[in-house]
Amino acid sequence: NAGVTQTPKFRVLKTGQSMTLLCAQDMNHEYMYWYRQDPGMGLRLIHYSVGEGTTAKGEVPDGYNVSRLKKQNFLLGLESAAPSQTSVYFCASSGASGRAGYNEQFFGPGTRLTVL
Amino acid sequence: GENVEQHPSTLSVQEGDSAVIKCTYSDSASNYFPWYKQELGKRPQLIIDIRSNVGEKKDQRIAVTLNKTAKHFSLHITETQPEDSAVYFCAAKLSFGAGTTVTVRA
């Protein structure tokens, strides 16, 4: 099993350009997440999904959009990139947990994005 | 929403000594508290977790304790080794602490 994979691994954009980051998981997980990681700020949740066709905003959703058309894929889009979006982006997935709260998250290898 | 604070931000210990990292959370409804380890340039990976129905959990040299009344939980690493050097993150619900950089001195 590949686990959680992310495409691309690196990307450089100019201000105003758009791009889509792809996350795929082969563990049949219901929940998927997108985080950004900046120095000294830990992991901040951008958007998440608790099932195919559903998405929800996280802590820092502005400037990003997501789609979950297939259970195994979670796409993160930047419509008009800004230098403030320079970061490392991690996708993660976890099994559904119901009333037990969340479960262990499995992370992808990350995408390093630079916006000039 | 949930707010997680983590201390200290950096921790330097002598090999063989213990390391303790503490996190506090704000939402009393939180019931799952994981700890992730992230080595330089790598992805975060779960090292231990605890649910709110237990107060302590151990796995070899690492342990987590939870105090639901005070809304804090801690990671304890005993007999530290050089491979324990990494950044450690706590989490509650989908909020992560800012991380603790642990350096184990040989």
Side-chain angles (χ1 to χ4, degrees), chain B residues 60-76:
Chain B
Q60 298 183 335
R61 295 187 297 108
I62 60 173
V64 56
T65 58
L66 171 65
N67 183 326
K68 284 215 72 179
T69 303
K71 289 191 279 190
H72 67 71
F73 57 111
S74 299
L75 177 71
H76 304 254

Side-chain angles (χ1 to χ4, degrees), chain A residues 30-82:
Chain A
E30 288 293 331
Y31 296 178
M32 296 186 75
Y33 317 85
W34 275 107
Y35 294 91
R36 60 177 291 173
Q37 184 174 36
D38 302 293
M41 300 186 74
L43 293 152
R44 291 185 293 168
L45 184 66
I46 304 171
H47 287 278
Y48 65 104
S49 168
V50 297
E52 182 179 319
T54 72
T55 64
K57 293 181 180 180
E59 180 186 356
V60 289
D62 294 343
Y64 305 95
N65 56 76
V66 289
S67 64
R68 183 103 181 265
L69 299 179
K70 293 183 178 181
K71 185 177 182 178
Q72 63 268 34
N73 295 338
F74 196 29
L75 278 64
L76 177 71
L78 285 74
E79 291 183 347
S80 180

Side-chain angles (χ1 to χ4, degrees), chain A residues 1-114:
Chain A
N1 288 348
V4 181
T5 58
Q6 292 182 231
T7 309
K9 290 185 170 53
F10 304 93
R11 186 72 187 268
V12 178
L13 291 178
K14 293 181 179 179
T15 297
Q17 288 185 318
S18 63
M19 78 163 293
T20 299
L21 282 69
L22 171 64
C23 176
Q25 54 96 3
D26 61 2
M27 295 174 283
N28 201 34
H29 284 164
E30 288 293 331
Y31 296 178
M32 296 186 75
Y33 317 85
W34 275 107
Y35 294 91
R36 60 177 291 173
Q37 184 174 36
D38 302 293
M41 300 186 74
L43 293 152
R44 291 185 293 168
L45 184 66
I46 304 171
H47 287 278
Y48 65 104
S49 168
V50 297
E52 182 179 319
T54 72
T55 64
K57 293 181 180 180
E59 180 186 356
V60 289
D62 294 343
Y64 305 95
N65 56 76
V66 289
S67 64
R68 183 103 181 265
L69 299 179
K70 293 183 178 181
K71 185 177 182 178
Q72 63 268 34
N73 295 338
F74 196 29
L75 278 64
L76 177 71
L78 285 74
E79 291 183 347
S80 180
S84 60
Q85 294 178 304
T86 293
S87 187
V88 178
Y89 291 85
F90 284 99
C91 175
S93 71
S94 69
S97 53
R99 295 182 65 183
Y102 296 93
N103 284 329
E104 174 185 2
Q105 294 188 40
F106 294 83
F107 286 84
T111 295
R112 186 173 294 276
L113 175 66
T114 301

Side-chain angles (χ1 to χ4, degrees), chain B residues 24-38:
Chain B
T24 60
Y25 61 98
S26 61
D27 188 347
S28 57
S30 292
N31 58 10
Y32 175 64
F33 306 95
W35 286 91
Y36 292 87
K37 176 183 180 182
Q38 185 178 30

Side-chain angles (χ1 to χ4, degrees), chain B residues 50-61:
Chain B
I50 191 168
R51 294 200 184 270
S52 57
N53 56 346
V54 296
E56 184 176 1
K57 184 177 178 181
K58 285 184 179 180
D59 183 3
Q60 298 183 335
R61 295 187 297 108

